[in-house]
Amino acid sequence: PTQAPPPPPPAPTQAPPPPPPPPPAYSFFHVEGKEQQMYGCSYYNREEAMAVVQLVKLLKEKAATQLLLQQQQQQDGTVSSPWNSTERIRIITFYQAQVVTLQQLLKQHGLSGVLVATVDSSQGCEADVVIVSFVRSNTNHN
């Protein structure tokens, strides 16, 4: 009797694509701005503050999208802390005048819930996202 041919080898399975790389742990953004002194002592940089506001807006939009996805995935009804809670996001700067400038601009753009503080007052605090506003920008590089 004739033998049946052996079965063909199984088709190779494709491995799923690798996950996307995680975002960088930190990023720097160059902002063309001009430092100014408020009341002759503390410094602020309005252009840099506006760049921070734009970044916070983007983070809020991204958080809203992620919240919708989480709500669809979570069946147990648990809710994570709001996108603008102090453990999620905080803005720190070295100058009190920049704190005031940032708070005013954030309020004007409907983002007043975001914590803005000096570096000194934030010592020991943690957040998922920390935005640092350096403020100083001049042609003397000082």
Side-chain angles (χ1 to χ4, degrees):
T2 61
Q3 277 188 319
T13 57
Q14 277 191 323
Y26 60 90
S27 298
F28 290 95
F29 298 96
H30 176 75
V31 177
E32 288 292 330
K34 184 173 184 345
E35 69 185 47
Q36 298 176 53
Q37 262 188 307
M38 184 181 283
Y39 311 120
C41 55
S42 188
Y43 289 92
Y44 70 101
N45 184 326
R46 186 169 175 82
E47 293 83 6
E48 185 175 294
M50 282 303 300
V52 169
V53 169
Q54 294 305 315
L55 182 58
V56 171
K57 280 183 176 182
L58 289 172
L59 291 169
K60 179 181 179 183
E61 290 169 11
K62 181 137 177 98
T65 302
Q66 286 181 339
L67 180 61
L68 287 175
L69 292 173
Q70 285 176 353
Q71 288 174 342
Q72 291 171 353
Q73 293 171 353
Q74 290 179 335
Q75 300 299 322
D76 62 0
T78 60
V79 178
S80 59
S81 57
W83 75 273
N84 61 346
S85 63
T86 57
E87 65 266 9
R88 295 276 183 175
I89 184 171
R90 75 176 44 231
I91 302 168
I92 60 175
T93 183
F94 299 92
Y95 300 96
Q96 185 61 39
Q98 187 75 344
V99 169
V100 171
T101 301
L102 283 161
Q103 287 172 333
Q104 290 171 347
L105 289 171
L106 288 165
K107 184 175 182 180
Q108 289 172 10
H109 289 87
L111 301 165
S112 58
V114 176
L115 177 74
V116 183
T118 61
V119 171
D120 290 342
S121 67
S122 295
Q123 187 173 353
C125 297
E126 295 181 11
D128 295 336
V129 175
V130 178
I131 299 172
V132 182
S133 176
F134 288 97
V135 179
R136 301 300 297 267
S137 175
N138 61 55
T139 56
N140 299 328
H141 304 291
N142 60 12

